[in-house]
């Protein structure tokens, strides 16, 4: 099982939008996929139109290995299940304060899922917190959507330097640009810098388009409500690059 977290300490950068679309594309290829909504705002849960009748509290989530079947919902799309969020899981962070214990708990949940899923995709809340510290240690890949603005790039630099400098972290960081506009020189410059020598941004960018923003209205992945949208190719491109990077063995 490969674990892939969509993370950025900034909010509003497209984490949930990409996590939902990529989880859908991953499942559509035949991979058994679980999307775990870790944000108490529950945006991924909302986008997939999931209404769970289970009271999802933080403590219950950390014991998810005991009752996965009860907590996990089908998305209605083949191969795609969801571990939904609720406002209650805002307490999850406090429960992970002890990093070692937190790491053990999340690893135990992953282990319990490993037989059932090929990919677990996590939609993370926008913060740098005990939860993110634990995730940096346990997930295989960290996909980081970045808007090509100065402040958003600064936030990416802060997090990536922090992870690179810590000897405990072996997670692969996979940044990519979202809400991209090729007409803007500042965006093109950011792309050249991010993908040039020493840069590690993916080559595919997700453009800013109102059809993508409409996910909140349709409450389904882009390929479902707009099957001929040319922008599906952007999500497919990001997914393809992520897959290659996730499966690469850096030795
Ligand atoms: N590529 C895009 N084009 C236009 N709007 C987008 C795009 N990606 C995300 N959005 C919109 O931006 C807002 C924030 O996106 P979201 O995925 O919720 O970000 P995050 O999870 O990082 O907070 C949402 O209203 C979403 O519809
Ligand atoms: Mg989000």
């Amino acid at each position: 099982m490969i674990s892939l977290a969509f993370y950025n300490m900034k909010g509003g950068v497209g984490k949930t939008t990409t996590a939902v679309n990529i989880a859908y594309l991953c499942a559509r290829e035949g991979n058994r996929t679980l999307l775990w909504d870790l944000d108490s705002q529950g945006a991924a849960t909302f986008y997939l139109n999931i209404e769970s009748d289970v009271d999802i509290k933080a403590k219950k989530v950390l014991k998810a290995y005991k009752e996965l079947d009860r907590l996990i919902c089908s998305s209605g799309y083949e191969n795609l299940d969801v571990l939904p969020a609720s406002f209650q899981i805002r307490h999850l962070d406090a429960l992970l304060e002890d990093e070692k214990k937190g790491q053990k708990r999340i690893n135990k949940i992953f282990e319990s899922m490993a037989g059932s899923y090929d990919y677990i995709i996590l939609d993370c809340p926008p913060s740098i917190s005990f939860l993110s510290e634990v995730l940096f240690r346990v997930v295989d890949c960290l996909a980081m959507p970045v808007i090509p603005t100065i402040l958003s790039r600064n936030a990416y630099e802060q997090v990536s330097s922090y992870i690179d400098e810590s000897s405990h972290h072996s997670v692969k960081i996979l940044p990519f640009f979202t809400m991209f506009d090729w007409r803007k020189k500042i965006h093109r410059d950011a792309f050249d810098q991010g993908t040039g020598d020493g840069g590690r941004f993916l080559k595919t960018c997700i453009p800013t388009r109102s059809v993508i923003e409409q996910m909140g209205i349709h409450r389904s992945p882009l390929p479902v409500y707009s099957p001929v949208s040319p922008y599906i190719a952007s999500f497919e491109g990001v997914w393809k690059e992520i897959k290659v990077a996730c499966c690469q063995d850096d030795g």
Side-chain angles (χ1 to χ4, degrees):
M1 185 180 79
I2 289 175
S3 50
L4 166 67
F6 280 81
Y7 170 80
N8 190 317
M9 66 176 172
K10 276 183 94 63
V13 296
K15 293 181 293 295
T16 303
T17 304
T18 26
V20 168
N21 280 308
I22 281 177
Y24 174 80
L25 293 174
C26 176
R28 197 174 69 173
E29 284 175 1
N31 300 301
R32 295 167 305 162
T33 307
L34 177 74
L35 178 64
W36 185 355
D37 188 351
L38 279 165
D39 188 347
S40 56
Q41 294 175 69
T45 306
F46 176 84
Y47 275 161
L48 285 170
N49 208 4
I50 306 275
E51 308 259 350
S52 171
D53 44 16
V54 180
D55 185 18
I56 298 175
K57 294 208 171 94
K59 274 192 182 153
K60 209 177 261 179
V61 169
L62 284 184
K63 296 213 166 106
Y65 54 88
K66 284 190 183 161
E67 47 175 349
L68 277 184
D69 292 346
R70 243 167 63 74
L71 294 179
I72 288 174
C73 303
S74 164
S75 67
Y77 305 111
E78 204 175 342
N79 296 319
L80 179 58
D81 287 346
V82 181
L83 180 45
S86 77
F87 193 54
Q88 307 290 333
I89 66 160
R90 66 189 188 281
H91 302 303
L92 196 57
D93 200 51
L95 299 177
L96 295 172
E97 186 176 350
D98 180 331
E99 214 168 290
K100 278 217 171 108
K101 269 194 195 155
Q103 209 174 321
K104 264 193 189 160
R105 293 174 119 174
I106 301 286
N107 269 330
K108 199 162 173 181
I109 299 174
F110 281 5
E111 276 162 24
S112 70
M113 289 168 172
S116 312
Y117 297 101
D118 302 308
Y119 284 87
I120 172 166
I121 295 180
L122 302 103
D123 184 31
C124 301
S127 59
I128 185 139
S129 58
F130 297 124
L131 170 64
S132 46
E133 291 280 345
V134 167
L135 292 179
F136 297 160
R137 286 161 199 265
V138 301
V139 299
D140 298 312
C141 293
L142 209 61
M144 277 184 73
V146 178
I147 301 179
T149 60
I150 303 293
L151 289 181
S152 190
R153 289 165 62 200
N154 283 353
Y156 157 70
E157 292 292 344
Q158 276 176 325
V159 174
S160 59
S161 310
Y162 169 70
I163 295 175
D164 287 343
E165 281 158 19
S166 164
S167 55
H168 305 297
H169 300 144
S170 58
V171 64
K172 261 181 215 169
I173 306 174
L174 306 171
F176 59 97
F177 289 114
T178 49
M179 304 198 212
F180 197 87
D181 186 344
W182 285 104
R183 291 169 306 182
K184 295 186 180 169
K185 184 172 181 309
I186 194 166
H187 286 200
R188 295 196 302 273
D189 288 348
F191 178 83
D192 290 342
Q193 233 177 31
T195 58
D197 279 351
R200 53 180 159 184
F201 275 69
L202 304 183
K203 302 281 184 291
T204 314
C205 304
I206 309 286
T208 304
R209 287 294 177 272
S210 50
V211 70
I212 299 175
E213 202 172 356
Q214 283 165 17
M215 266 179 79
I217 297 168
H218 298 283
R219 299 185 67 180
S220 54
L222 175 67
V224 173
Y225 68 83
S226 185
V228 292
S229 167
Y231 308 112
I232 297 169
S234 310
F235 291 101
E236 286 171 339
V238 167
W239 170 228
K240 197 171 166 189
E241 289 191 68
I242 288 177
K243 245 184 328 184
V244 170
C246 280
C247 297
Q248 240 163 29
D249 185 3
D250 292 340

